[in-house]
Amino acid sequence: MLKSGTLITVKREADKKKNAVYHGPRFDVYAEDEHGTIYDLEMQNQNHHDIEKRMAIYQGKLENQALYAGQSFSERRQTVILFLCDHDVYNLNRVHYQLIPQLVGHPEILIDNGETNVIVNLKGDASKQAALNQEMLTYFNDGTVTGKFSAALDRAVREVKNDVKKHIGNKSS
């Protein structure tokens, strides 16, 4: 699910709403890596029973940046939507679910459209996961830092919380 790599751009709460009429997402965390892959990381603490539709809207907004004018469609950049949920969306006790497009009537034929959609169940059984994923799940469930990855997450979370405190403090002045 997660791979070690270098993120070169990270933006918190990147607003992609450009239209007053249509619904536009506000990305919780928008990032790009050294390979040009675009990521959107979303936190969901309530099950609204619409996660697949939410993912489609977020993917649609990432599409605007996946291909530059004049580029061939084969040069389209990968896009990844990752929803971190504190509930099991499908009640199958899995740690993560990857939604994939496939050819109707031929489930063995997977369609690579350059999009990856993953739902992470933060309450799932982490013991069946790779070490990096176990570290992430442990951190998000109880705040325990167990390695470099969770230490980086902890620093980022603290930075966001400090920004929010500063932002709220500035509004009341």
Side-chain angles (χ1 to χ4, degrees), residues 52 55-56 58-59 79-83 97-101 113 115-119:
E52 299 88 354
M55 288 181 137
Y58 283 84
Q59 276 290 0
T79 56
V80 178
I81 304 289
L82 187 67
F83 272 71
Y97 304 97
Q98 183 170 348
L99 285 62
I100 56 171
N113 60 2
E115 299 176 0
T116 300
N117 294 301
V118 177
I119 300 168

Short mmCIF file of all heavy atoms in Angstrom, two decimals, residues 52 55-56 58-59 79-83 97-101 113 115-119:
data_model
loop_
_atom_site.label_atom_id
_atom_site.label_comp_id
_atom_site.label_asym_id
_atom_site.label_seq_id
_atom_site.Cartn_x
_atom_site.Cartn_y
_atom_site.Cartn_z
N GLU A 52 -16.95 6.26 -2.43
CA GLU A 52 -16.57 6.05 -3.84
C GLU A 52 -16.87 7.29 -4.69
O GLU A 52 -16.08 7.66 -5.55
CB GLU A 52 -17.29 4.83 -4.42
CG GLU A 52 -16.99 3.53 -3.72
CD GLU A 52 -17.90 3.23 -2.52
OE1 GLU A 52 -18.72 4.11 -2.14
OE2 GLU A 52 -17.79 2.13 -1.96
N MET A 55 -14.30 9.92 -3.85
CA MET A 55 -13.03 9.63 -4.52
C MET A 55 -13.08 10.05 -5.98
O MET A 55 -12.10 10.59 -6.50
CB MET A 55 -12.69 8.14 -4.41
CG MET A 55 -12.28 7.73 -3.03
SD MET A 55 -11.85 5.99 -2.97
CE MET A 55 -10.39 6.10 -1.95
N ALA A 56 -14.19 9.81 -6.64
CA ALA A 56 -14.31 10.18 -8.05
C ALA A 56 -14.19 11.70 -8.23
O ALA A 56 -13.52 12.16 -9.17
CB ALA A 56 -15.65 9.68 -8.61
N TYR A 58 -12.59 13.81 -6.20
CA TYR A 58 -11.20 14.19 -5.93
C TYR A 58 -10.30 13.78 -7.10
O TYR A 58 -9.41 14.53 -7.49
CB TYR A 58 -10.72 13.56 -4.61
CG TYR A 58 -11.24 14.29 -3.40
CD1 TYR A 58 -12.50 14.02 -2.87
CD2 TYR A 58 -10.48 15.29 -2.79
CE1 TYR A 58 -12.98 14.69 -1.77
CE2 TYR A 58 -10.95 15.97 -1.68
CZ TYR A 58 -12.21 15.67 -1.18
OH TYR A 58 -12.69 16.36 -0.09
N GLN A 59 -10.53 12.59 -7.66
CA GLN A 59 -9.73 12.17 -8.83
C GLN A 59 -9.96 13.14 -9.98
O GLN A 59 -9.01 13.52 -10.67
CB GLN A 59 -10.10 10.74 -9.27
CG GLN A 59 -9.40 9.65 -8.53
CD GLN A 59 -7.90 9.56 -8.85
OE1 GLN A 59 -7.33 10.31 -9.64
NE2 GLN A 59 -7.26 8.61 -8.20
N THR A 79 -2.08 9.41 -10.42
CA THR A 79 -2.77 10.11 -9.33
C THR A 79 -3.20 9.09 -8.29
O THR A 79 -3.65 8.00 -8.63
CB THR A 79 -4.00 10.90 -9.84
OG1 THR A 79 -4.88 10.01 -10.53
CG2 THR A 79 -3.58 12.03 -10.76
N VAL A 80 -3.05 9.45 -7.02
CA VAL A 80 -3.37 8.55 -5.92
C VAL A 80 -4.26 9.29 -4.92
O VAL A 80 -3.90 10.36 -4.44
CB VAL A 80 -2.09 8.07 -5.20
CG1 VAL A 80 -2.44 7.16 -4.02
CG2 VAL A 80 -1.15 7.36 -6.17
N ILE A 81 -5.43 8.71 -4.65
CA ILE A 81 -6.32 9.21 -3.61
C ILE A 81 -6.24 8.20 -2.47
O ILE A 81 -6.46 7.01 -2.67
CB ILE A 81 -7.78 9.33 -4.09
CG1 ILE A 81 -7.89 10.20 -5.33
CG2 ILE A 81 -8.67 9.82 -2.95
CD1 ILE A 81 -7.67 11.66 -5.13
N LEU A 82 -5.95 8.69 -1.28
CA LEU A 82 -5.82 7.83 -0.10
C LEU A 82 -6.74 8.38 0.99
O LEU A 82 -6.52 9.49 1.47
CB LEU A 82 -4.37 7.82 0.36
CG LEU A 82 -3.98 6.88 1.47
CD1 LEU A 82 -4.09 5.43 1.00
CD2 LEU A 82 -2.56 7.17 1.91
N PHE A 83 -7.79 7.66 1.32
CA PHE A 83 -8.71 8.04 2.39
C PHE A 83 -8.35 7.26 3.64
O PHE A 83 -8.38 6.03 3.63
CB PHE A 83 -10.16 7.75 2.00
CG PHE A 83 -10.84 8.87 1.27
CD1 PHE A 83 -10.49 9.18 -0.03
CD2 PHE A 83 -11.82 9.61 1.90
CE1 PHE A 83 -11.12 10.21 -0.71
CE2 PHE A 83 -12.45 10.65 1.23
CZ PHE A 83 -12.10 10.95 -0.07
N TYR A 97 -8.36 -1.16 1.39
CA TYR A 97 -9.10 -1.60 0.21
C TYR A 97 -8.62 -0.76 -0.97
O TYR A 97 -8.53 0.46 -0.86
CB TYR A 97 -10.61 -1.37 0.38
CG TYR A 97 -11.19 -2.03 1.61
CD1 TYR A 97 -11.38 -1.32 2.79
CD2 TYR A 97 -11.56 -3.37 1.57
CE1 TYR A 97 -11.92 -1.93 3.90
CE2 TYR A 97 -12.09 -3.99 2.69
CZ TYR A 97 -12.27 -3.27 3.86
OH TYR A 97 -12.80 -3.88 4.97
N GLN A 98 -8.31 -1.41 -2.07
CA GLN A 98 -7.94 -0.68 -3.27
C GLN A 98 -9.05 -0.86 -4.28
O GLN A 98 -9.40 -1.99 -4.62
CB GLN A 98 -6.61 -1.15 -3.85
CG GLN A 98 -6.21 -0.31 -5.05
CD GLN A 98 -4.79 -0.57 -5.51
OE1 GLN A 98 -4.01 -1.20 -4.82
NE2 GLN A 98 -4.46 -0.08 -6.68
N LEU A 99 -9.61 0.24 -4.74
CA LEU A 99 -10.68 0.20 -5.73
C LEU A 99 -10.03 0.23 -7.11
O LEU A 99 -9.18 1.08 -7.37
CB LEU A 99 -11.61 1.39 -5.56
CG LEU A 99 -12.58 1.33 -4.38
CD1 LEU A 99 -11.89 1.26 -3.06
CD2 LEU A 99 -13.54 2.49 -4.43
N ILE A 100 -10.41 -0.72 -7.96
CA ILE A 100 -9.79 -0.82 -9.28
C ILE A 100 -10.85 -0.91 -10.38
O ILE A 100 -11.87 -1.53 -10.19
CB ILE A 100 -8.85 -2.05 -9.37
CG1 ILE A 100 -9.62 -3.33 -9.02
CG2 ILE A 100 -7.64 -1.89 -8.48
CD1 ILE A 100 -8.88 -4.61 -9.29
N PRO A 101 -10.57 -0.29 -11.51
CA PRO A 101 -11.47 -0.47 -12.65
C PRO A 101 -11.13 -1.77 -13.37
O PRO A 101 -9.95 -2.13 -13.51
CB PRO A 101 -11.17 0.74 -13.53
CG PRO A 101 -9.82 1.21 -13.14
CD PRO A 101 -9.57 0.74 -11.73
N ASN A 113 -5.83 3.18 -15.74
CA ASN A 113 -6.16 4.53 -16.19
C ASN A 113 -5.30 5.58 -15.49
O ASN A 113 -5.56 6.77 -15.60
CB ASN A 113 -7.65 4.82 -15.98
CG ASN A 113 -8.06 4.70 -14.53
OD1 ASN A 113 -7.24 4.44 -13.66
ND2 ASN A 113 -9.35 4.87 -14.28
N GLU A 115 -5.00 5.98 -12.29
CA GLU A 115 -5.59 6.39 -11.02
C GLU A 115 -5.48 5.25 -10.00
O GLU A 115 -5.72 4.10 -10.33
CB GLU A 115 -7.08 6.72 -11.18
CG GLU A 115 -7.35 7.86 -12.12
CD GLU A 115 -8.83 8.10 -12.34
OE1 GLU A 115 -9.67 7.37 -11.76
OE2 GLU A 115 -9.15 9.03 -13.10
N THR A 116 -5.15 5.62 -8.77
CA THR A 116 -5.15 4.66 -7.67
C THR A 116 -6.04 5.23 -6.57
O THR A 116 -5.88 6.39 -6.18
CB THR A 116 -3.72 4.44 -7.13
OG1 THR A 116 -2.90 3.94 -8.19
CG2 THR A 116 -3.72 3.44 -5.99
N ASN A 117 -6.98 4.42 -6.11
CA ASN A 117 -7.89 4.81 -5.04
C ASN A 117 -7.79 3.79 -3.92
O ASN A 117 -8.09 2.61 -4.13
CB ASN A 117 -9.34 4.87 -5.55
CG ASN A 117 -9.54 5.96 -6.57
OD1 ASN A 117 -9.30 7.12 -6.28
ND2 ASN A 117 -9.94 5.59 -7.77
N VAL A 118 -7.39 4.26 -2.73
CA VAL A 118 -7.19 3.36 -1.60
C VAL A 118 -7.94 3.91 -0.39
O VAL A 118 -7.89 5.10 -0.10
CB VAL A 118 -5.69 3.21 -1.25
CG1 VAL A 118 -5.50 2.34 -0.02
CG2 VAL A 118 -4.92 2.63 -2.44
N ILE A 119 -8.62 3.00 0.30
CA ILE A 119 -9.29 3.33 1.56
C ILE A 119 -8.54 2.58 2.65
O ILE A 119 -8.38 1.36 2.57
CB ILE A 119 -10.77 2.88 1.55
CG1 ILE A 119 -11.52 3.58 0.41
CG2 ILE A 119 -11.42 3.14 2.91
CD1 ILE A 119 -12.89 2.99 0.13
#
